[in-house]
Amino acid sequence: MKNMTLEQIAAACGGRYCGPKEKRNCEVSEIVTDSRKAGEGCLFVAIPGARVDGHDFIPGVVKAGALAVISEKDLGETDFPYIQVASSLKAVKDMAEYYLEQLGIPVIGITGSVGKTSTKETIASVLAQKYRVLKTEGNFNNELGLPLTVFRLREEHQIAVLEMGISDFGEMHRLARIARPDTAVITNIGWCHLENLKTRDGILQAKTEIFDYLKEDGHILLNGDDDKLSTVGEVKGITPIRFGLNAKNEYYADEIQSQGFLGISCRIHTPEGTFSALVPIPGRHMVYNALAATAVGCVYGLTLEQIRRGIESLKAVNGRFHIIETGRYTVIDDCYNANPVSMKASLDVLGEGSGRKVAVLGDMGELGEDEAKLHAEVGTHAAGCGIDALYLAGPLCAHLAKAAQTANPALEVRHFGSREELQEALGGLLQEGDNVLVKASHFMQFEKIVAALTEGNEK
């Protein structure tokens, strides 16, 4: 890792180097916080947790070949190097900030209430047509996940696409300090994390903390159709670039047509010209992702043809509207997370399918005092989507079920108290050839339903 000797790392995180003096200038091969991933030449960061203390694994990682460890404890005299710090988690963030500075590559930081991951995937797919890109994997978008993503960067990478997720004030400020983005992309301001952020204005305030460490010559890309983001004006002398479906935006789309589960086609307009593309993942919301990726592509010098190829080569990831043909059902795995906006969007896509359409839904979390009302609104929406059955689990989904039945008495609606009860009943409820949408907030563990429906049958 470039400029990551033990001496440099100790200075970067304000730690005290201990151990053999001759190893001060040794460079680490990688930085890990999971002892199972420790290998030859790595730096292991021992983080104390509520259930597991990373310090307990120090002997094992040293035996596995770790060059050194970071420890909050004084380990005394050792025959291996360690860096003692006041806070291991803060050291992780300090090291990531320092390391990213050493690489000096452009960083695209992506945040928003809904669509961060799919937007990140689309932007990375487009930029990969010209650059060697590293992107956030999975849900590594918080104060530990972001540094771990940064530590995966190597000198051969030319650009980083980093997802940045928060749930409270101040978090984005700390994430932005690590990433120091050249380009900030905000997808929208929705209703996530209302427990802490209280209102959409609070969410806007928290998300726009990303500007705190934006580079002086950077770029701001905003969803111009979002009522809250439309209030954001010039920041640090930077005029935001806006994308959306409205033709007033610099980047906009028209001729939008659903192609069923094959995706959605559209014509994209840019200051450099227009082009048509098929976004290979269904949903009208995917057009916004394609527009954000187009704007980023233009900022970083891609041709419109390169941008089109990047959009059309996009692949779905597990848990994010991943369509799985099992031979018995078509399962739409969208169970990574859920909120009212994404739930309605996924129901809309399901309604466009052919054959019998079944929504298997669970509770949505972190919605604050309006959680019952917001679940009911999704139920009313589901009733008008043209789906055939609604199978629900969780106490909050009782409000969803009641609203759906009230709005459309002909719709088959069944509600279960838990995910386990729903999962057990599904075998007798589903029919061969069904299109089955599976979606809930992550804590509901609906990935277990996907596994049960697809195990041994996925094609």
Side-chain angles (χ1 to χ4, degrees), residues 201-231:
D201 286 327
I203 295 170
L204 175 67
Q205 178 186 335
K207 297 291 185 183
T208 52
E209 287 176 7
I210 194 173
F211 301 148
D212 292 351
Y213 287 94
L214 183 69
K215 297 282 180 61
E216 288 185 4
D217 57 348
H219 306 90
I220 297 171
L221 277 59
L222 305 176
N223 179 343
D225 294 349
D226 186 280
D227 61 324
K228 296 299 181 182
L229 290 176
S230 66
T231 66

Side-chain angles (χ1 to χ4, degrees), residues 121-130 293-294 297 302 306-307 310-311:
E121 292 291 329
T122 313
I123 289 173
S125 184
V126 165
L127 291 175
Q129 302 301 308
K130 182 175 181 178
T294 298
L302 275 73
Q306 287 173 320
I307 293 170
I311 291 170

Side-chain angles (χ1 to χ4, degrees), residues 218-424:
H219 306 90
I220 297 171
L221 277 59
L222 305 176
N223 179 343
D225 294 349
D226 186 280
D227 61 324
K228 296 299 181 182
L229 290 176
S230 66
T231 66
V232 177
E234 188 177 280
V235 179
K236 297 180 176 179
I238 302 168
T239 301
I241 298 169
R242 303 186 192 273
F243 59 88
L245 304 188
N246 193 310
K248 69 181 181 181
N249 296 297
E250 290 98 319
Y251 295 83
Y252 70 95
D254 56 17
E255 298 182 7
I256 300 168
Q257 293 188 333
S258 170
Q259 304 301 322
F261 291 164
L262 294 177
I264 189 161
S265 60
C266 61
R267 184 175 63 164
I268 293 177
H269 299 258
T270 82
E272 287 75 33
T274 65
F275 64 95
S276 295
L278 172 65
V279 188
I281 298 175
R284 193 175 179 87
H285 61 285
M286 290 302 301
V287 177
Y288 282 95
N289 300 341
L291 287 166
T294 298
V296 171
C298 287
V299 165
Y300 286 91
L302 275 73
T303 67
L304 297 186
E305 174 58 21
Q306 287 173 320
I307 293 170
R308 183 194 65 78
R309 286 203 308 267
I311 291 170
E312 295 194 340
S313 62
L314 178 64
K315 304 292 184 186
V317 296
N318 289 341
R320 310 281 188 167
F321 221 92
H322 180 209
I323 297 173
I324 306 169
E325 297 288 351
T326 72
R328 182 172 177 80
Y329 317 116
T330 298
V331 177
I332 304 164
D333 173 13
D334 201 23
C335 67
Y336 175 74
N337 220 336
N339 55 63
V341 174
S342 67
M343 193 77 91
K344 291 174 185 177
S346 295
L347 285 164
D348 287 340
V349 176
L350 176 65
E352 294 171 356
S354 58
R356 188 166 179 266
K357 293 159 282 191
V358 178
V360 178
L361 309 180
D363 286 355
M364 300 174 286
E366 298 183 319
L367 296 180
E369 60 186 18
D370 289 332
E371 59 184 7
K373 174 175 175 285
L374 292 168
H375 277 79
E377 288 178 1
V378 171
T380 302
H381 188 87
C385 284
I387 64 175
D388 299 286
L390 194 57
Y391 303 144
L392 310 166
L396 289 172
C397 271
H399 304 286
L400 199 159
K402 182 179 179 180
Q405 287 178 315
T406 300
N408 183 1
L411 177 65
E412 180 188 354
V413 180
R414 298 187 184 234
H415 177 255
F416 301 84
S418 68
R419 188 263 308 161
E420 291 85 353
E421 293 175 46
L422 169 60
Q423 186 171 325
E424 185 176 348

Side-chain angles (χ1 to χ4, degrees), residues 102-182:
Q102 305 312 299
L103 295 173
I105 63 172
V107 172
I108 292 98
I110 302 166
T111 192
S113 295
V114 183
K116 291 185 295 295
T117 297
S118 54
T119 301
K120 174 257 298 181
E121 292 291 329
T122 313
I123 289 173
S125 184
V126 165
L127 291 175
Q129 302 301 308
K130 182 175 181 178
Y131 300 103
R132 292 186 295 277
V133 179
L134 183 128
K135 64 182 179 181
T136 303
E137 297 292 349
N139 63 339
F140 278 60
N141 64 4
N142 59 18
E143 290 188 61
L144 179 58
L146 177 64
L148 293 177
T149 298
V150 169
F151 294 148
R152 291 174 42 233
L153 285 163
R154 293 297 180 267
E155 289 185 71
E156 62 265 24
H157 290 117
Q158 297 173 303
I159 200 162
V161 181
L162 304 179
E163 182 179 333
M164 302 164 73
I166 63 164
S167 59
D168 209 342
F169 295 107
E171 286 183 69
M172 183 59 71
H173 179 90
R174 295 189 292 272
L175 292 175
R177 178 172 178 169
I178 296 167
R180 297 181 184 264
D182 298 83

